[in-house]
Amino acid sequence: MKLSTDDGVLAFERRGLPRRPVCGHAMAIFSTGSTAGRLSRVELIDASWTGIAIRSAEPVELGASVSLTPEDAMWPRQVGMVVRCEKVDDGYCLGLRSKRNKAVA
């Protein structure tokens, strides 16, 4: 089943915030529970204030922690959680919710 259109946008859009396309690749470490994590090269798709979409060659369990280090120095390192994993023609589209540091009151 094809979940994306020819321009890469998911056919079943559930995200509420505007997204902007991004391009490039990153190294991601996915971990669940007390495991050491799995290193994988991923493709960046789009981003918003609260998350980022990436394309992975392998599926990733929902709820897995992720540390994402983009190859382009213009992007900061991201940490978050996998909230979406859907099969697409050439791999898996993952939705990552970013964890933000909250200011101390």
Side-chain angles (χ1 to χ4, degrees):
M1 180 166 109
K2 185 175 179 180
L3 294 176
S4 62
T5 62
D6 291 335
D7 62 0
V9 175
L10 291 175
F12 303 108
E13 187 63 61
R14 293 182 296 220
R15 301 172 291 188
L17 292 174
R19 313 286 286 184
R20 69 179 189 283
V22 294
C23 60
H25 291 86
M27 294 306 294
I29 299 174
F30 299 103
S31 59
T32 56
S34 60
T35 63
R38 177 174 46 113
L39 183 64
S40 180
R41 187 169 190 255
V42 297
E43 179 184 358
L44 306 174
I45 299 172
D46 62 24
S48 75
W49 285 102
T50 60
I52 188 166
I54 62 174
R55 185 169 289 120
S56 170
E58 298 179 26
V60 178
E61 183 178 330
L62 296 181
S65 295
V66 61
S67 176
L68 190 67
T69 305
E71 292 176 348
D72 184 348
M74 295 296 290
W75 275 85
R77 179 176 166 264
Q78 303 277 323
V79 293
M81 179 175 63
V82 177
V83 294
R84 186 176 186 176
C85 179
E86 296 181 1
K87 177 73 174 133
V88 291
D89 292 336
D90 56 349
Y92 294 85
C93 183
L94 306 178
L96 310 177
R97 180 178 300 140
S98 296
K99 291 182 182 174
R100 300 197 179 272
N101 293 332
K102 296 184 179 180
V104 176

